[in-house]
Amino acid sequence: MEIVKVENLSKTYGSGDHVVRALDDISFTIEQGEFVAIVGPSGSGKSTLMHLLGGIDKPTTGKIFVEGTDVYAQNEEQLAIFRRRQVGLVYQFYNLIPVLNVVENITLPMLMDGQKVNEERLEEMLHVLNLQGRETHLPNQLSGGQQQRVSIGRALINAPSIVLADEPTGNLDSKNGQEIIELLKYSNRTYGQTLIVITHDENFALQADRIIAIQDGKIHRDEVVMR
Ligand code: ADP
Ligand code: ADP
């Protein structure tokens, strides 16, 4: 089943003499449960694509459908719900809220959504993320690897159908990076969550089902990974 459909998507920033064409008329589809790595040089448009897929930016032209919904045809309220329930975002620098502890950061999407926290699910999450005993720690009391595991918890707590990660291992050493890769792959395999990861790490990209290479705002290559 097709979960993402991108149609003639373009994004430009700025105006007049300072227009940057970050994405230039790209189209592709992604199947439910696929693990896709997005690669390409710095400035090629990868983060722009991720933000558009996550519902946190607006295309200049073109459309994105997620599970059949035209993402940017939704009103602000619908879009906010889309961001909390259908996608989970993981960033290079974690983007945790510094004054909230581990449990508060992880459960934030549920609380914002007016949902009661499912204690059983939270316990399981803390176990899978190896964060037991750290529940009341603040982000600045945690290592980089731990902070990224908290951000993965926050991305997964609402069981989104798509997990979007922008350089999730970019700030970590190889041991902590590999742990993050394993966690993302685990949620992809176990729950069939579609996983879309931007990475400069070739070893990580080669673990994907498919690699999309972006260059100058266009799809330069789109290949299935052979094993
Ligand atoms: P990548 O993630 O591949 O490094 P980006 O999507 O961040 O690429 O950027 C693509 C292009 O768009 C770059 O030329 C970048 O400078 C430009 N760009 C990205 N965000 C903005 C912005 N908010 N305002 C202006 N230009 C931007
Ligand atoms: P990891 O467990 O992710 O491999 P490290 O080996 O870097 O982490 O750190 C070991 C322990 O030291 C961590 O479990 C964490 O509690 C603590 N720690 C690491 N970095 C920091 C930091 N910047 N501030 C506070 N405590 C830290």
Side-chain angles (χ1 to χ4, degrees), residues 13 20 22 41-49:
Y13 293 107
V20 175
S42 179
S44 56
K46 304 182 299 296
S47 296
T48 298
L49 175 60

